[in-house]
């Protein structure tokens, strides 16, 4: 499952994984939904149970922007032309759905039914449980935030999310950013998909929340670990055991 996000590209190195942003102007074209313009409105549900699916990513081939479903499974695509569009719906644990829908003004609500992948869902449950056991095994305080919290938050980047939800506040510290811990400035160790990010907090500022499945905050921000949907999909397929946390 891939969720392209304008303005961000990830490049892997032997020593870790660095995330390099494009210029800020690359994000300036994000469309706003305006009444009277063509839109596609709908709801995503589980095909087996009929329950709404939150945090599903719905996109169209005619726009670089997509929509994450809300708690009731709702999505809205706008900034698109009138006519028929190829729509893709993706969610971890479900088979990718592709349909053709018509954009109109005003839009008529449609219902997209996603077929669960039992093997992947089972693997994801196993891996998620292993991450939870790792958190419980550490001697330090840990806060964990899942895909629904991330998808439903108003914060664009992981750094904004961590500051607002985990109350970890960054401050300039030489060439990077530090956090305050017990009256001292500490450089946090930031990981993405189990790789240490060379740029630390500055790299966290380039990670969009809609690309992330989970964020773990250890020791009030001294260590922050983020995981993408793509990584968790691979982990679920291989029944990955997460690396131990160095105390």
């Amino acid at each position: 499952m891939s969720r392209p996000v304008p303005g961000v590209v990830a490049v892997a190195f032997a020593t870790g994984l660095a995330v390099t942003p494009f210029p800020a102007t690359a994000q300036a074209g994000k469309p706003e939904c305006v009444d009277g313009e063509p839109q596609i409105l709908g709801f995503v549900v589980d095909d087996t149970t009929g329950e709404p699916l939150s945090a599903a990513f719905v996109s169209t081939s005619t726009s670089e922007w997509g929509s994450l479903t809300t708690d009731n499974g709702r999505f809205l695509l706008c900034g698109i032309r009138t006519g028929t569009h190829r729509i893709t719906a993706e969610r971890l644990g479900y088979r990718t759905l592709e349909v053709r829908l018509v954009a109109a003004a005003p839009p008529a609500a449609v219902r997209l039914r996603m077929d669960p992948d039992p093997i992947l869902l089972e693997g994801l449950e196993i891996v998620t449980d292993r991450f939870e056991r790792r958190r419980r095994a550490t001697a330090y305080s840990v806060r964990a935030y899942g895909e629904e919290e991330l998808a439903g938050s108003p914060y664009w980047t992981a750094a904004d999310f961590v500051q607002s939800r985990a109350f970890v506040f960054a401050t300039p510290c030489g060439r990077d950013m530090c956090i305050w811990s017990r009256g001292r400035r500490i450089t946090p160790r930031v990981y993405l998909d189990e790789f240490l990010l060379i740029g630390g907090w500055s790299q966290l500022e380039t990670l969009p929340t809609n690309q992330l499945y989970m964020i773990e905050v250890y020791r009030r921000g001294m260590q922050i670990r983020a995981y993408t949907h793509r990584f968790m999909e691979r982990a679920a397929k291989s029944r990955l055991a997460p690396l131990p946390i160095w105390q």
Side-chain angles (χ1 to χ4, degrees), residues 22-183:
F22 290 151
T25 53
Q27 300 181 20
K30 184 176 182 180
E32 295 183 1
C33 294
V34 178
D35 290 342
E37 293 187 352
Q39 300 174 1
I40 297 177
L41 168 67
F43 297 85
V44 179
V45 301
D46 183 299
D47 187 44
T48 302
T49 65
E51 292 295 317
L53 292 178
S54 62
F57 186 68
V58 182
S59 60
T60 170
S61 59
T62 57
S63 173
E64 59 184 351
W65 297 97
S67 174
L68 283 163
T69 55
T70 59
D71 289 344
N72 64 350
R74 182 181 183 273
F75 70 90
L76 179 63
L77 298 173
C78 52
I80 54 180
R81 58 174 172 75
T82 302
T84 302
H85 297 258
R86 187 178 68 196
I87 304 300
T88 302
E90 301 170 280
R91 192 184 192 281
L92 192 55
Y94 288 79
R95 296 184 176 91
T96 299
L97 176 67
E98 292 188 356
V99 296
R100 291 189 175 274
L101 298 175
V102 176
V110 297
R111 187 173 297 269
L112 303 183
R113 307 183 71 90
M114 296 193 70
D115 187 20
D117 185 333
I119 296 177
L120 191 57
L121 282 173
E122 180 185 6
L124 184 61
E125 183 177 348
I126 291 171
V127 172
T128 301
D129 182 64
R130 288 174 177 171
F131 273 98
E132 184 177 352
R133 291 203 303 269
R134 185 180 70 173
R135 291 193 294 268
R136 291 200 303 263
T138 184
Y140 304 112
S141 62
V142 187
R143 291 188 178 185
Y145 305 91
E147 63 172 340
E148 293 187 5
E149 290 178 274
L150 289 162
S153 79
Y155 307 109
W156 171 255
T157 72
D160 290 338
F161 182 93
V162 169
Q163 289 194 108
S164 300
R165 296 298 302 275
F167 304 106
V168 176
F169 301 106
T171 183
C173 180
R175 295 183 179 180
D176 199 1
M177 301 290 284
C178 292
I179 63 169
W180 288 102
S181 177
R182 301 182 184 274

